[in-house]
Amino acid sequence: MKSDYLVRAKELRTLIHKYDYHYYVLDRPLISDLEYDSLLRELVLLEEKHPNLRVPDSPTRRVGGQPLSAFAKVEHAAPMLSLENAFNEQELALFFERVTKQAAGEELVFSCELKIDGVAVALTYEGGKLTVGASRGNGLIGEELTANLRTIRSLPLVIDYQEKLEVRGEVFLPKSSFEKINNERKQKEQPLFANPRNAAAGSLRQLDAKLVAKRQLGIFIYEGYFSAASNTYTQVLKKLSKLGFVVNEHRSSARNLPEILNFIALWEEKRQTLNYDIDGIVIKVDNYRIREKLGSTTKFPRWAIAYKFKAQEVTTKLEGIELNVGRTGVITPTALLKPILLAGTLVQRAALHNASYIKEKDLRLGDYVIIRKAGEIIPEVVKSLPQKRSGSENIFQLPTMCPVCQAKLAKEESSIRCPNTACPQKIEAQILHFASRDAMNISGLGKQVVKLLCKEKFVTSPADLYFLKKDELAKLPRLGEKLIQNILTALEKSKHNSLEKLLFGLGIPHVGAEKAKVLARTYQTLAELSNASYSSLASVPDIGPIVAAKITAYFKNKNNSTQLARLQAAKLNLTYQPRTTAHVNSNWTHKNIVITGKLAGISRAELKDLLEKAGAIVTKQINNTTNLLVIGEQPGSKLQKAVKQGIPTINAAQIVQDLKGTIN
């Protein structure tokens, strides 16, 4: 009888793997959903009744186990390099000419494929089973995401290949799933994802695989490292497809530049017909022997390039202009548009930056305007179309009174500002900034909660947050016991933040996160900073006379002094607390470092974080205290200045490699 269960469980696993492949990979279902669910349910019951039948590659175990507390680090066997970008035909032509010249005498064939706008991952199979899945990370070290990657139904857990195999691919969120997720988040009054790529990245970093499974992620595999070498990339893709991996079908071979450009033009036109986002075309030399001949830099393979599509532009109607008061009182206009689909999302609002922007572009209410997404993320108005005016359009008139509190507005160069310190919207923005991640990092204080607290007069300044009481908060509508406790816990935790977090949260004009760190390191305590003279502040590197004047004015203001006294009464930490370094004797401890140029495989923020963990002090400008300049591509004038002053330089890829040992 026991052997019958064993045979049936094996039969069910084989059938379900087969049906998964036909449904998720080939898009050709062999059975109905009801029949599939029945088979899966039978396997679940069998495994529950006979736990010894469970195997790691069972389709019932795509999601399982307890949520993780953190992601482990994974060192890639070979660096996951970035691709060099081409933004126009001239840059693509230069790539083609360079490759043709360096591969002199060779017959060149290029593989052209869609550049999926997703998250790069590496997956390892051993003995035919998926064992490790990891993010790209900085190209050298990624995070282990095996449990989350197993939830992708189109990714095979078992393959008919017994030797060790690493494959690389791009995880994406289908547009249909993206719309569904954002609709659900909107109903729950949660922040919406900006685009499918952000949603995919956020999904992969969930600690609970059960939540990841609900996102219905997809994956395209674009590379495989087989033990037996293949002659061409095309052959590798065929092998991968035969093993059950999803390989994107939209690709073509090209032997010359016109054929490459034709493929680009085709998909720049058709990209909106896809159920996933693409942001360009990847062009690769097909022959592996020629690839080896061409080689790679520390950042890019010389045999491939990514052609980036131009930002998509659409025409719609400017139906209105909304004015919002920011935390400093600056009035920011936002365009209210007739809803239109742009780069996969429905756009109804767009940035207008300031009053001068409206005037320069001659934007009128009722105008037809062209909009695009800056960086494929933030919608902005490019220009108006005067030729489409009917005569009913109205010139936008700047208000003289604050749209929220009716205080008389002050003009400042290109902007207008509300001077009223009690302006409700201004206070809301200040508290949201104070609670933000880069400032005091008080989780639970989202826009709706802050709005409610301000409306009910529970808070009129950031300092008031630390005097909130549980029983008082319980009287407010829509604030459950769990959320209240989370807010109070986060507030208590934030009291122990280092001084620079508080300085940034206070919203001192011109004092961003970087300058806040410089000030905290220099003066060590809030008392020392508040008593610092103008000349002392002006002499601090990266501060200067303009910022020094704003700081001294801030501390002389009576309202600010009152708030600081209340923060002190609430027992907030008011001193600088240096981060614990990864290695006390690190090469970078106490070194003043500046980063310049474009980085590959790691963001500027990530590199800065690594350096600070190793004890370095990262600043923006070169001065007489700078010890080292980290250079990426196109470093510009900072490199020239460093050479002139005799400041040592180091390649960004080298420093990342060196810092591997300092990553906690």
Side-chain angles (χ1 to χ4, degrees), residues 579-583 608-616 662-664:
R579 295 180 64 174
T580 302
T581 58
H583 292 295
K608 179 174 173 292
D609 187 58
L610 288 178
L611 285 164
E612 289 180 344
K613 280 183 178 177
T662 70
I663 299 174
N664 292 328

Side-chain angles (χ1 to χ4, degrees), residues 191-207:
L192 302 185
F193 286 115
N195 52 50
R197 187 190 186 283
N198 283 12
S203 299
L204 282 180
R205 299 208 80 260
Q206 292 288 328
L207 294 171

Side-chain angles (χ1 to χ4, degrees), residues 417-553:
R417 184 187 298 270
C418 174
N420 181 14
T421 56
C423 178
Q425 202 170 87
K426 191 173 176 179
I427 292 170
E428 284 180 26
Q430 288 170 350
I431 293 171
L432 277 170
H433 172 74
F434 185 85
S436 65
R437 182 175 295 181
D438 289 337
M440 297 301 281
N441 193 20
I442 306 169
S443 60
L445 286 180
K447 191 172 183 178
Q448 296 304 319
V449 173
V450 169
K451 198 175 190 71
L452 182 62
L453 291 173
C454 291
K455 180 183 177 183
E456 300 297 329
K457 305 296 183 185
F458 275 53
V459 293
T460 58
S461 74
D464 291 340
L465 293 169
Y466 293 97
F467 296 91
L468 292 171
K469 304 296 181 186
K470 186 174 183 179
D471 54 346
E472 292 177 345
L473 290 172
K475 298 174 185 177
L476 292 174
R478 300 191 300 278
L479 284 190
E481 185 178 347
K482 186 176 180 181
L483 176 57
I484 291 171
Q485 190 54 55
N486 287 344
I487 292 170
L488 294 175
T489 301
L491 280 165
E492 191 62 33
K493 183 180 177 182
S494 73
K495 290 181 180 180
H496 306 289
N497 286 339
S498 184
L499 176 61
E500 69 273 12
K501 295 287 187 180
L502 175 61
L503 292 179
F504 179 51
L506 290 174
I508 302 170
H510 298 324
V511 177
E514 297 307 315
K515 285 184 170 57
K517 285 181 183 177
V518 172
L519 291 166
R521 281 196 298 261
T522 303
Y523 293 99
Q524 299 288 307
T525 70
L526 184 66
E528 287 293 322
L529 174 61
S530 61
N531 292 320
S533 66
Y534 166 79
S535 58
S536 170
L537 287 162
S539 66
V540 175
D542 288 339
I543 299 302
I546 296 174
V547 181
K550 295 291 184 182
I551 295 169
T552 52

Side-chain angles (χ1 to χ4, degrees), residues 642-660:
V643 172
K644 188 176 180 180
Q645 295 184 17
I647 297 170
T649 64
I650 186 172
N651 185 279
Q654 289 178 259
I655 204 168
V656 170
Q657 180 72 37
D658 186 87
L659 287 166
K660 282 198 303 180

